[in-house]
Amino acid sequence: MILIGLPKGRLYKEIRQLLKISGIDLKEDKRKLIFGSSEKNIQFSILRGWDIPKFVSYGAVDIGIVGKDVLLETDEENFFEVLDLEIGKCRLSLAAKEKKVSELAGSTIASKFPKETNKYLSENFIDAEIIELKGSIEIAPILGISDFIVDLVNTGNTLKENGLKEIKILKEISTRLIVNKSKFRTKNKEVKKFIQRIQSDKKY
């Protein structure tokens, strides 16, 4: 038996469709935190996306499906990132109202992604202040608490509607499959079988 953690929100529908194409139908039950599927040896649990790396690292779930943006920010390490599912594609980008990349030095940047933002600044020898926010990032430059934002961008419509412009792509983002390190060994057969079902043209 393997237990797979799925993220709530925008990714869930795409993941469910991917599983269905692979012949795995979810048997959801809103009253249950863990539910089965059309495969008797595969169970699922819907979790908050930001928590999935921790649940996988602790071995609470064997496999997690989560966005690369979450993996870039996590401090957890007890898992292997084994597959890019190539769904939920977007980008982590720098945006601002009327600023340019050349004006980053000495500026203030609001983001839900402080680690990756700091990495970009360090790699480019730029000194700037990072403000970590949890809610809507677009509001920060509008209310004047930041000069720039670093956020996920899909169509770019939300930025435009708020008078912001995407000025630099920091990282391409997609959905990844991660496996607990010890479970990859102890449940290797089941894990590999699941991976091969959803991406049969790759070998593991």
Side-chain angles (χ1 to χ4, degrees):
M1 179 71 69
I2 55 173
L3 178 58
I4 301 168
L6 305 180
K8 296 178 180 179
R10 63 183 182 86
L11 284 177
Y12 182 69
K13 288 185 179 179
E14 286 189 72
I15 294 169
R16 185 176 178 180
Q17 182 62 26
L18 176 65
L19 291 169
K20 189 172 183 178
I21 291 170
S22 304
I24 302 171
D25 290 309
L26 304 184
K27 294 182 178 179
E28 297 169 82
D29 186 335
K30 292 182 180 179
R31 296 168 298 179
K32 294 182 178 180
L33 298 177
I34 297 174
F35 54 89
S37 69
S38 55
E39 302 298 309
K40 63 181 181 180
N41 65 332
I42 302 177
Q43 291 185 320
F44 294 90
S45 182
I46 300 176
L47 307 167
R48 183 174 175 267
W50 286 95
D51 291 335
I52 287 178
K54 188 174 292 290
F55 277 101
V56 174
S57 283
Y58 277 77
V61 296
D62 306 309
I63 294 172
I65 296 178
V66 66
K68 180 65 176 178
D69 54 308
V70 174
L71 298 180
L72 291 171
E73 294 296 312
T74 188
D75 292 322
E76 304 298 333
E77 298 179 346
N78 190 33
F79 62 80
F80 296 118
E81 182 182 325
V82 297
L83 183 63
D84 183 350
L85 297 177
E86 300 180 2
I87 59 174
K89 290 185 177 182
C90 56
R91 52 201 181 272
L92 186 64
S93 294
L94 179 73
K97 289 180 71 175
E98 297 176 351
K99 299 282 186 179
K100 300 177 182 178
V101 177
S102 59
E103 299 176 88
L104 272 171
S107 70
T108 303
I109 307 167
S111 182
K112 294 177 187 175
F113 307 94
K115 284 182 68 174
E116 195 61 23
T117 302
N118 187 61
K119 181 181 176 183
Y120 171 77
L121 294 174
S122 297
E123 288 175 347
N124 290 277
F125 306 101
I126 298 170
D127 184 20
E129 180 185 358
I130 300 171
I131 299 175
E132 184 177 0
L133 297 178
K134 298 297 185 182
S136 177
I137 302 298
E138 292 84 6
I139 196 70
I142 295 172
L143 296 182
I145 70 166
S146 76
D147 305 298
F148 297 85
I149 66 170
V150 170
D151 201 9
L152 293 179
V153 178
N154 188 0
T155 63
N157 290 337
T158 303
L159 291 178
K160 291 177 184 177
E161 288 169 2
N162 289 283
L164 303 175
K165 184 178 180 181
E166 184 179 13
I167 55 178
K168 176 75 176 179
I169 297 174
L170 305 190
K171 189 82 68 174
E172 295 291 344
I173 302 295
S174 58
T175 305
R176 308 302 170 96
L177 187 147
I178 61 175
V179 183
N180 174 273
K181 288 182 177 179
S182 63
K183 299 296 182 71
F184 191 79
R185 293 189 294 271
T186 60
K187 297 187 177 183
N188 188 263
K189 185 178 180 180
E190 297 98 319
V191 169
K192 283 187 175 181
K193 184 177 180 181
F194 175 74
I195 294 171
Q196 288 165 352
R197 284 192 67 168
I198 61 175
Q199 194 78 353
S200 60
D201 60 331
K202 292 186 178 182
K203 296 181 179 178
Y204 299 88

Coordinates of all heavy atoms in Angstrom, one line a residue, residues 76-131:
E76 N 12.9 21.1 4.2 CA 12.9 19.7 4.3 C 13.8 19.1 3.3 O 13.9 19.6 2.2 CB 11.5 19.1 4.2 CG 10.4 19.7 5.2 CD 10.7 19.3 6.6 OE1 11.4 18.3 6.8 OE2 10.3 20.1 7.5
E77 N 14.4 17.9 3.6 CA 15.4 17.3 2.7 C 15.3 15.8 2.6 O 15.9 15.2 1.7 CB 16.8 17.6 3.2 CG 17.2 19.1 3.2 CD 18.6 19.4 3.7 OE1 19.2 18.4 4.2 OE2 19.1 20.5 3.5
N78 N 14.4 15.2 3.4 CA 14.3 13.8 3.4 C 13.4 13.2 2.3 O 12.5 12.4 2.6 CB 13.8 13.3 4.8 CG 14.0 11.8 4.9 OD1 14.9 11.2 4.4 ND2 13.1 11.2 5.7
F79 N 13.6 13.7 1.1 CA 12.8 13.1 -0.1 C 13.6 13.3 -1.3 O 14.6 14.1 -1.4 CB 11.5 13.9 -0.2 CG 11.6 15.4 -0.5 CD1 11.9 15.9 -1.7 CD2 11.4 16.3 0.6 CE1 12.0 17.2 -2.0 CE2 11.6 17.6 0.4 CZ 11.8 18.1 -0.9
F80 N 13.3 12.5 -2.3 CA 13.8 12.6 -3.7 C 12.8 13.3 -4.6 O 11.6 12.9 -4.5 CB 14.1 11.2 -4.2 CG 15.2 10.4 -3.5 CD1 14.9 9.2 -2.9 CD2 16.5 10.9 -3.4 CE1 15.8 8.5 -2.2 CE2 17.5 10.1 -2.7 CZ 17.1 8.9 -2.1
E81 N 13.3 14.2 -5.4 CA 12.4 14.8 -6.4 C 12.6 13.9 -7.7 O 13.7 14.0 -8.3 CB 12.8 16.2 -6.6 CG 11.9 16.9 -7.7 CD 12.3 18.4 -7.9 OE1 12.8 19.0 -7.0 OE2 12.3 18.8 -9.1
V82 N 11.7 13.1 -8.0 CA 11.9 12.1 -9.0 C 11.3 12.4 -10.4 O 11.7 11.7 -11.4 CB 11.5 10.7 -8.6 CG1 12.3 10.3 -7.3 CG2 10.0 10.7 -8.2
L83 N 10.3 13.3 -10.5 CA 9.6 13.4 -11.7 C 9.0 14.8 -11.9 O 8.4 15.3 -11.0 CB 8.5 12.4 -11.9 CG 7.7 12.3 -13.2 CD1 8.6 12.0 -14.3 CD2 6.6 11.3 -13.0
D84 N 9.2 15.4 -13.1 CA 8.5 16.6 -13.4 C 7.2 16.2 -14.2 O 7.3 15.6 -15.3 CB 9.4 17.5 -14.4 CG 8.7 18.8 -14.7 OD1 7.5 19.0 -14.5 OD2 9.4 19.6 -15.3
L85 N 6.1 16.4 -13.6 CA 4.8 16.0 -14.2 C 4.4 16.9 -15.4 O 3.4 16.6 -16.1 CB 3.7 16.0 -13.2 CG 3.9 15.0 -12.0 CD1 2.8 15.1 -11.0 CD2 4.0 13.6 -12.6
E86 N 5.0 18.1 -15.5 CA 4.8 19.0 -16.6 C 3.4 19.5 -16.7 O 2.8 19.7 -17.7 CB 5.2 18.4 -17.9 CG 6.7 18.0 -18.0 CD 7.2 17.3 -19.3 OE1 6.3 17.2 -20.2 OE2 8.3 17.0 -19.3
I87 N 2.8 19.7 -15.5 CA 1.4 20.3 -15.4 C 1.5 21.4 -14.4 O 2.5 21.6 -13.7 CB 0.3 19.3 -15.0 CG1 0.7 18.7 -13.6 CG2 0.2 18.2 -16.0 CD1 -0.4 17.8 -13.0
G88 N 0.5 22.3 -14.3 CA 0.5 23.4 -13.4 C 1.6 24.4 -13.8 O 2.2 25.0 -12.9
K89 N 2.0 24.5 -15.0 CA 3.1 25.4 -15.4 C 2.8 26.8 -15.2 O 1.7 27.3 -15.5 CB 3.5 25.1 -16.9 CG 4.1 23.7 -17.1 CD 4.6 23.6 -18.5 CE 5.2 22.2 -18.8 NZ 5.7 22.1 -20.1
C90 N 3.8 27.5 -14.6 CA 3.7 29.0 -14.5 C 5.2 29.4 -14.3 O 6.1 28.7 -14.6 CB 2.9 29.4 -13.3 SG 3.3 28.6 -11.7
R91 N 5.4 30.6 -13.8 CA 6.8 31.1 -13.6 C 6.8 32.0 -12.4 O 5.8 32.6 -12.0 CB 7.2 31.9 -14.8 CG 6.3 32.9 -15.3 CD 6.5 33.3 -16.7 NE 5.6 34.4 -17.2 CZ 4.4 34.2 -17.7 NH1 3.9 33.0 -17.8 NH2 3.6 35.2 -18.0
L92 N 8.0 32.0 -11.7 CA 8.2 32.8 -10.6 C 8.9 34.1 -11.1 O 10.0 33.9 -11.7 CB 9.1 32.1 -9.6 CG 9.4 32.8 -8.2 CD1 8.1 33.0 -7.5 CD2 10.4 32.1 -7.4
S93 N 8.3 35.2 -11.0 CA 8.8 36.4 -11.7 C 8.9 37.6 -10.8 O 8.2 37.7 -9.8 CB 7.9 36.7 -12.9 OG 7.9 35.7 -13.9
L94 N 9.8 38.5 -11.2 CA 9.9 39.8 -10.6 C 9.0 40.8 -11.3 O 8.9 40.8 -12.6 CB 11.3 40.3 -10.7 CG 11.7 41.7 -10.1 CD1 11.7 41.6 -8.6 CD2 13.1 42.1 -10.7
A95 N 8.2 41.6 -10.6 CA 7.3 42.5 -11.2 C 7.3 43.8 -10.4 O 7.7 43.9 -9.3 CB 5.9 41.9 -11.3
A96 N 6.9 44.9 -11.1 CA 6.8 46.2 -10.5 C 5.9 47.1 -11.2 O 5.4 46.7 -12.3 CB 8.2 46.8 -10.4
K97 N 5.6 48.3 -10.7 CA 4.7 49.2 -11.4 C 5.5 50.0 -12.5 O 5.1 49.9 -13.7 CB 4.2 50.3 -10.4 CG 3.1 49.7 -9.4 CD 2.6 50.7 -8.4 CE 1.7 51.7 -9.2 NZ 1.1 52.7 -8.2
E98 N 6.5 50.7 -12.1 CA 7.3 51.4 -13.2 C 8.8 51.3 -13.0 O 9.6 52.1 -13.5 CB 6.9 52.9 -13.1 CG 5.4 53.1 -13.4 CD 5.0 54.6 -13.3 OE1 5.8 55.4 -12.7 OE2 3.9 54.9 -13.7
K99 N 9.2 50.3 -12.3 CA 10.6 50.1 -12.0 C 11.3 49.1 -13.0 O 10.6 48.4 -13.7 CB 10.8 49.4 -10.6 CG 10.3 50.3 -9.4 CD 11.2 51.4 -9.1 CE 10.7 52.2 -7.9 NZ 11.7 53.3 -7.5
K100 N 12.6 49.2 -13.0 CA 13.4 48.3 -13.9 C 14.3 47.4 -13.0 O 14.6 47.8 -11.9 CB 14.3 49.2 -14.9 CG 13.5 50.1 -15.8 CD 14.4 50.9 -16.6 CE 13.6 51.9 -17.5 NZ 14.5 52.7 -18.3
V101 N 14.8 46.3 -13.6 CA 15.7 45.4 -12.9 C 16.9 46.2 -12.4 O 17.4 45.9 -11.3 CB 16.1 44.3 -13.8 CG1 17.1 43.4 -13.1 CG2 14.9 43.4 -14.3
S102 N 17.4 47.2 -13.2 CA 18.6 47.9 -12.8 C 18.4 48.8 -11.5 O 19.3 49.3 -10.9 CB 19.0 48.8 -13.9 OG 17.9 49.7 -14.3
E103 N 17.1 48.9 -11.1 CA 16.8 49.7 -9.9 C 16.6 48.8 -8.6 O 16.1 49.3 -7.6 CB 15.5 50.5 -10.1 CG 15.7 51.5 -11.3 CD 14.4 52.3 -11.6 OE1 14.2 53.3 -10.9 OE2 13.6 51.8 -12.4
L104 N 16.9 47.6 -8.7 CA 16.7 46.6 -7.6 C 17.6 47.0 -6.4 O 17.2 46.9 -5.2 CB 17.1 45.2 -8.0 CG 15.9 44.4 -8.6 CD1 16.4 43.1 -9.2 CD2 14.8 44.1 -7.6
A105 N 18.8 47.4 -6.6 CA 19.7 47.8 -5.5 C 19.1 48.8 -4.5 O 18.7 49.9 -5.0 CB 21.1 48.2 -6.0
G106 N 19.0 48.5 -3.2 CA 18.5 49.4 -2.3 C 17.0 49.4 -2.2 O 16.4 50.2 -1.5
S107 N 16.3 48.6 -3.0 CA 14.9 48.6 -3.0 C 14.3 47.6 -2.0 O 15.0 47.0 -1.3 CB 14.4 48.2 -4.4 OG 14.7 46.8 -4.7
T108 N 13.0 47.6 -2.0 CA 12.2 46.6 -1.1 C 11.4 45.7 -2.0 O 10.7 46.2 -2.9 CB 11.3 47.4 -0.1 OG1 12.1 48.3 0.6 CG2 10.6 46.4 0.8
I109 N 11.5 44.4 -1.7 CA 10.8 43.4 -2.5 C 9.8 42.6 -1.6 O 10.3 42.0 -0.6 CB 11.8 42.4 -3.2 CG1 12.8 43.2 -4.0 CG2 11.0 41.5 -4.1 CD1 14.0 42.4 -4.4
A110 N 8.6 42.5 -2.0 CA 7.6 41.7 -1.3 C 7.4 40.4 -2.0 O 7.3 40.3 -3.2 CB 6.2 42.5 -1.2
S111 N 7.4 39.3 -1.2 CA 7.2 38.0 -1.8 C 6.8 36.9 -0.8 O 7.0 37.1 0.4 CB 8.6 37.6 -2.4 OG 8.4 36.3 -3.1
K112 N 6.2 35.9 -1.3 CA 5.9 34.7 -0.5 C 7.1 33.7 -0.6 O 7.1 32.6 0.0 CB 4.7 33.9 -1.1 CG 3.3 34.7 -0.9 CD 2.2 33.9 -1.6 CE 0.9 34.7 -1.6 NZ -0.2 33.9 -2.3
F113 N 8.1 34.1 -1.4 CA 9.2 33.2 -1.7 C 10.5 33.9 -1.4 O 11.3 34.2 -2.2 CB 9.2 32.9 -3.2 CG 7.9 32.3 -3.7 CD1 6.9 33.1 -4.2 CD2 7.6 31.0 -3.5 CE1 5.6 32.6 -4.6 CE2 6.3 30.4 -3.9 CZ 5.4 31.3 -4.5
P114 N 10.8 34.1 -0.1 CA 12.0 34.8 0.3 C 13.3 34.1 0.0 O 14.3 34.7 -0.3 CB 11.8 34.9 1.9 CG 10.8 33.9 2.2 CD 9.9 33.7 1.1
K115 N 13.3 32.7 0.1 CA 14.5 32.0 -0.2 C 14.9 32.1 -1.6 O 16.1 32.4 -1.9 CB 14.3 30.5 0.2 CG 14.3 30.2 1.6 CD 14.2 28.7 1.9 CE 15.4 27.9 1.5 NZ 15.3 26.5 1.8
E116 N 14.0 32.0 -2.5 CA 14.4 32.1 -3.9 C 14.7 33.5 -4.3 O 15.5 33.7 -5.2 CB 13.2 31.5 -4.8 CG 13.6 31.2 -6.2 CD 14.7 30.2 -6.4 OE1 14.9 29.4 -5.5 OE2 15.4 30.2 -7.5
T117 N 14.0 34.4 -3.7 CA 14.2 35.9 -4.0 C 15.6 36.2 -3.5 O 16.4 36.9 -4.2 CB 13.2 36.7 -3.3 OG1 11.9 36.4 -3.7 CG2 13.4 38.2 -3.6
N118 N 16.0 35.8 -2.3 CA 17.3 36.0 -1.8 C 18.4 35.4 -2.6 O 19.5 35.9 -2.8 CB 17.4 35.6 -0.3 CG 18.7 36.0 0.3 OD1 19.0 37.2 0.5 ND2 19.5 35.0 0.7
K119 N 18.1 34.2 -3.1 CA 19.1 33.5 -4.0 C 19.4 34.3 -5.2 O 20.5 34.4 -5.6 CB 18.5 32.1 -4.3 CG 19.5 31.3 -5.2 CD 18.8 29.9 -5.6 CE 19.7 29.2 -6.5 NZ 19.1 27.9 -7.0
Y120 N 18.3 34.8 -5.8 CA 18.5 35.6 -7.1 C 19.3 36.9 -6.7 O 20.3 37.2 -7.5 CB 17.2 36.0 -7.6 CG 17.3 37.0 -8.8 CD1 17.7 36.6 -10.0 CD2 17.0 38.4 -8.5 CE1 17.8 37.6 -11.1 CE2 17.2 39.3 -9.6 CZ 17.6 38.9 -10.8 OH 17.7 39.8 -11.8
L121 N 19.0 37.5 -5.6 CA 19.8 38.7 -5.3 C 21.2 38.4 -5.0 O 22.1 39.1 -5.4 CB 19.1 39.4 -4.0 CG 17.7 39.9 -4.2 CD1 17.2 40.4 -2.8 CD2 17.7 41.1 -5.2
S122 N 21.5 37.3 -4.3 CA 22.8 37.0 -3.9 C 23.7 36.6 -5.2 O 24.8 37.0 -5.3 CB 22.8 35.8 -3.0 OG 22.2 36.1 -1.7
E123 N 23.0 35.8 -6.1 CA 23.7 35.4 -7.3 C 24.1 36.6 -8.2 O 25.0 36.6 -8.9 CB 22.9 34.4 -8.1 CG 22.8 33.1 -7.4 CD 21.8 32.1 -8.2 OE1 21.1 32.6 -9.0 OE2 21.9 30.9 -7.9
N124 N 23.3 37.7 -8.0 CA 23.6 38.9 -8.8 C 24.2 40.1 -8.0 O 24.2 41.2 -8.5 CB 22.3 39.4 -9.5 CG 21.8 38.4 -10.6 OD1 22.2 38.5 -11.7 ND2 20.9 37.5 -10.2
F125 N 24.6 39.7 -6.8 CA 25.3 40.7 -5.9 C 24.5 42.0 -5.7 O 25.0 43.1 -5.8 CB 26.7 41.0 -6.5 CG 27.5 39.8 -6.8 CD1 27.7 39.3 -8.1 CD2 28.2 39.2 -5.7 CE1 28.4 38.2 -8.3 CE2 29.0 38.0 -6.0 CZ 29.1 37.6 -7.3
I126 N 23.2 41.8 -5.5 CA 22.3 42.9 -5.3 C 21.9 43.0 -3.8 O 21.5 42.0 -3.2 CB 21.0 42.8 -6.2 CG1 21.4 42.8 -7.7 CG2 20.0 43.9 -5.9 CD1 20.3 42.5 -8.6
D127 N 22.0 44.1 -3.2 CA 21.5 44.3 -1.8 C 20.2 45.0 -1.8 O 20.0 46.1 -2.3 CB 22.5 45.2 -1.1 CG 22.2 45.4 0.4 OD1 21.5 44.5 0.9 OD2 22.7 46.3 1.0
A128 N 19.2 44.2 -1.3 CA 17.8 44.7 -1.3 C 17.1 44.1 -0.1 O 17.5 43.1 0.4 CB 17.0 44.4 -2.6
E129 N 16.0 44.7 0.4 CA 15.3 44.2 1.5 C 14.1 43.4 1.0 O 13.4 43.7 0.1 CB 14.7 45.4 2.3 CG 13.9 45.0 3.5 CD 13.3 46.1 4.3 OE1 13.5 47.3 3.9 OE2 12.5 45.8 5.3
I130 N 13.9 42.2 1.7 CA 12.8 41.3 1.3 C 11.8 41.4 2.4 O 12.1 41.2 3.6 CB 13.3 39.9 1.1 CG1 14.3 39.8 0.0 CG2 12.1 39.0 0.8 CD1 15.0 38.5 -0.1
I131 N 10.5 41.6 2.0 CA 9.4 41.6 3.0 C 8.6 40.3 2.7 O 8.1 40.2 1.5 CB 8.5 42.8 2.9 CG1 9.3 44.1 3.2 CG2 7.3 42.7 3.8 CD1 8.5 45.3 3.0

